[in-house]
């Protein structure tokens, strides 16, 4: 097994990982930086983000308003010291991206254009048409190319963290094209591996979003925080789950039931706005949890539209006109035509809520540090407690930048104080990691009694869809906890069809399934214990928010084969006591 010596290893080369690498290279050009990713960086899921990135830039906006929107939108589960830091850093990071070449849309006077986004009372979302994540990722990737100190390890699959003397000192990873294990010795590790939405069957998430980074930290002893909060995006294509960005509604698209009624006015989200009237009302610009939940109620009332792909509502953008749509929403038009055969210039498009984002993840503080010295995390895989119980659209792309940089600076500070590693111990742990992979190859094939990858994965997805969706019950969650735990036990017998070394996708999918099952276990146990309704976690048997008992973060800790241990951590409140989320008025 080859040993690769580096100063800081970054797992994941999407927005957060690339931003961390740039910050490290700029701050200390002598550092050795290993950028490890299971896909080529430009295939990272950041490129799928469409709508934009939030940051205060206009004269009628303020940091205080961005703070209030984020805390209220998160149903007061956001740590407010984190939110204060985030809103202050956000405009700096977005301006830095512009200096690096990100092609933000402009106003007629040349200033940066912003669009409305759900849950925000002011227009503060910077955008590049409806391909914002794509352009952000391109900009970051191209910027990394100027730094020789950043060495990329594309198509390397991280297997285990190497922990000794109470601190993270590296990792093992499989080189995918050869199947050879590599040992990375590092003074610090940053995890930027994305979310775990693929544990659900109907999701906007690409195939790579399998919670690998979350599981790495979890198994190494770092708690997963607030895993019960899973965001549904209200406007997914009903056949593929592909996202139609929130920018559709930010630019003036409206949501209709089968009667042609803008039904969101019936769910505490403001008065109806006539089509084409350029007022910024709540309505379709309500927060994602509320807008998605409204769909469920319309379905229960029989007000949805029956389609070949199930029950839907309609997203109508025809009144915007072809010229405006081609300028602001070209990708949305392309997606609707390609996957549904619907031209949004001529027809309303059927949509339904779809799993989109995980508010929970690796527990970190505002400096992106975990409880394990030497280990840091940023992006969707992390829970720095910015998003609380419900993330506001367009905060996440900015979060990648702000906390990607924070993770880099914290890791750099740690490397200056880290002691020397015990090479023999690290080697022993790396060899144990390698043995774990080899054991998979020795298991019997499915025909000889082994479990199948596809069978276990389908059972997991069906369980999560049935019991952990928009609305949850004690009965359903208990079933989910039991089923996931059974699947984790059966996973020990999962078999490989492919026993080769070169690009063994069967092996990598088995490893991904193990990560998803561990994440699903933390999610279901946390959701069962939270006996309240808050943000994206809605209980039909506990319909009210309970600040007395649950104004706190759930902390799930790995316990091997057993169910995770659940502890709680108080929410940090600096200046905004819990209040009522009011989306009934005008937002001008």
């Amino acid at each position: 097994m080859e040993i690769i010596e580096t100063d800081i290893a970054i797992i994941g080369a999407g927005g957060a990982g690339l931003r961390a690498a740039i910050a490290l290279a700029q701050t200390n050009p002598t550092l050795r930086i290993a950028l490890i990713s299971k896909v080529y960086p430009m295939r990272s899921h950041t490129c799928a983000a469409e709508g934009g990135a939030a940051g205060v830039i206009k004269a009628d906006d303020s940091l205080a308003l961005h703070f209030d929107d984020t805390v209220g939108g998160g149903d007061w589960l956001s740590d407010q010291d984190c939110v204060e830091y985030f809103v202050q850093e956000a405009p700096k990071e977005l301006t830095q991206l512009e200096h690096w070449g990100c092609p933000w849309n402009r106003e007629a006077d040349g200033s940066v254009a912003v669009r409305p986004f759900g849950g925000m009372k002011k227009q503060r979302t910077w955008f590049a048409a409806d391909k914002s994540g794509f352009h952000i990722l391109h900009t970051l990737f191209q910027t990394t190319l100027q730094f020789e100190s950043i060495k990329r390890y594309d198509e390397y699959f991280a297997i285990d963290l190497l922990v000794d003397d109470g601190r993270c000192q590296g990792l093992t990873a499989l080189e995918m094209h050869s199947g050879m294990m590599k040992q990375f010795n590092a003074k610090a590790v940053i995890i930027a591996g994305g979310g775990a939405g693929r544990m659900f069957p109907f999701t906007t998430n690409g195939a790579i979003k399998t919670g690998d980074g979350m599981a790495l930290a979890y198994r190494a002893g770092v708690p997963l925080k607030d895993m019960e909060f899973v965001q549904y995006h209200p406007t997914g294509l009903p056949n593929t789950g592909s996202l139609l960005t929130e920018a559709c509604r930010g630019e003036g698209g409206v949501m209709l039931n089968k009667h042609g009624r803008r039904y969101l006015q019936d769910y505490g989200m403001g008065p109806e706005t006539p089509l084409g009237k350029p007022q910024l009302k709540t309505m379709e610009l309500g927060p994602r949890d509320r807008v998605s939940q409204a769909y469920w109620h319309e379905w229960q009332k029989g007000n949805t539209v029956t389609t070949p792909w199930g029950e839907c509502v309609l997203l109508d953008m025809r009144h915007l006109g072809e010229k405006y749509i081609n300028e602001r929403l070209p990708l949305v038009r392309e997606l609707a035509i390609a996957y549904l055969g619907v031209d949004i210039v001529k027809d309303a498009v059927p949509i339904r809520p779809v799993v989109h984002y995980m508010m929970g993840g690796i527990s970190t503080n505002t400096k992106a540090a975990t409880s394990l010295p030497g280990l840091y995390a940023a992006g969707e895989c992390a829970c720095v407690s910015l998003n609380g119980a419900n993330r506001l659209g367009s905060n996440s792309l900015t979060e990648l930048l702000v906390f990607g940089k924070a993770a880099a600076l914290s890791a750099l500070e740690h490397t200056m104080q880290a002691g020397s590693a015990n090479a023999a111990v690290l080697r022993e742990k790396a060899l144990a990691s390698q043995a774990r992979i080899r054991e998979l190859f020795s298991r019997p094939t499915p025909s000889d009694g082994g479990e199948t990858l596809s069978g276990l994965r389908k059972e997991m997805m069906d369980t999560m869809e049935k019991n952990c969706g928009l609305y949850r019950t004690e009965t359903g969650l208990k079933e989910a906890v039991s089923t996931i735990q059974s699947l984790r036990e059966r996973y020990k017998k999962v078999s490989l069809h492919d026993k080769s070394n070169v690009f063994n996708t069967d092996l990598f999918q088995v490893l991904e399934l193990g990560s998803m099952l561990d994440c699903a276990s933390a999610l279901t146990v946390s959701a069962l214990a939270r006996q309240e309704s808050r943000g994206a976690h809605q209980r039909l048997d506990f319909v009210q928010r309970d600040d007395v008992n649950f104004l706190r973060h759930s902390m799930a800790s790995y316990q091997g084969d057993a169910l995770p241990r659940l502890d709680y951590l108080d929410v940090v409140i600096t200046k905004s006591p819990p209040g009522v989320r009011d989306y009934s008025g005008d937002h001008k």
Side-chain angles (χ1 to χ4, degrees), residues 125-359:
T125 297
W126 304 39
F127 63 98
D130 58 354
K131 302 177 183 178
S132 302
F134 173 85
H135 288 298
I136 288 172
L137 194 63
H138 264 273
T139 301
L140 291 170
F141 178 63
Q142 290 167 359
T143 302
T144 64
L145 298 180
Q146 66 185 274
F147 299 107
E148 293 184 0
S149 58
I150 300 173
K151 184 169 183 181
R152 295 208 326 266
Y153 295 87
D154 298 340
E155 297 181 327
Y156 276 62
F157 195 106
I159 301 298
D160 290 301
L161 296 176
L162 299 178
V163 180
D164 180 44
D165 193 28
R167 56 193 173 96
C168 184
Q169 301 188 49
L171 68 140
T172 55
L174 276 172
E175 183 181 39
M176 297 171 76
H177 79 79
S178 69
M180 301 298 291
M181 184 78 87
K182 309 289 183 178
Q183 176 183 339
F184 289 84
N185 291 341
K187 297 176 182 176
V189 174
I190 298 171
I191 300 179
R198 292 299 294 194
M199 69 176 76
F200 290 84
F202 191 64
T203 174
T204 65
N205 289 188
I208 61 174
K209 296 281 287 292
T210 53
D212 313 315
M214 292 181 183
L216 282 174
Y218 183 48
R219 295 168 190 152
V222 178
L224 295 181
K225 186 194 299 178
D226 292 340
M227 287 292 284
E228 62 268 43
F229 296 101
V230 178
Q231 181 170 85
Y232 276 73
H233 197 292
T235 55
L237 292 181
N239 56 346
T240 64
S242 300
L243 174 67
L244 296 189
T245 171
E246 196 157 306
C248 295
R249 292 170 283 132
E251 298 293 353
V254 296
M255 297 175 69
L256 309 173
N257 63 17
K258 72 177 184 181
H259 305 295
R261 175 177 173 77
R262 291 180 68 190
Y263 60 89
L264 291 172
Q265 61 190 299
D266 301 331
Y267 299 96
M269 281 178 271
E272 183 172 356
T273 306
L275 288 181
K277 194 171 183 180
Q279 290 178 304
L280 180 56
K281 305 269 188 176
T282 303
M283 291 293 283
E284 286 79 9
L285 293 175
R288 289 176 178 174
D289 57 341
R290 295 281 182 87
V291 178
S292 295
Q293 290 152 19
Y295 160 86
W296 186 89
H297 289 288
E298 287 294 289
W299 173 49
Q300 296 297 306
K301 294 175 183 177
N303 290 337
T304 49
V305 178
T306 301
T307 75
W309 312 283
E311 296 302 306
C312 297
V313 290
L314 299 174
L315 178 61
D316 191 355
M317 294 167 276
R318 292 172 292 179
H319 54 283
L320 299 178
E322 184 171 13
K323 182 177 182 296
Y324 193 82
I325 286 172
N326 286 340
E327 176 190 336
R328 296 293 184 97
L329 302 168
L331 179 61
V332 168
R333 186 181 187 188
E334 180 182 332
L335 288 172
I337 291 173
Y339 293 115
L340 279 183
V342 175
D343 187 346
I344 63 174
V345 170
K346 301 174 182 177
D347 296 291
V349 60
I351 49 93
R352 55 158 282 194
V354 54
V355 168
H356 182 59
Y357 185 91
M358 300 191 69
M359 274 70 75

Side-chain angles (χ1 to χ4, degrees), residues 87 101 257 415 473 549:
V87 300
N257 63 17
T415 63
T473 65
N549 295 302

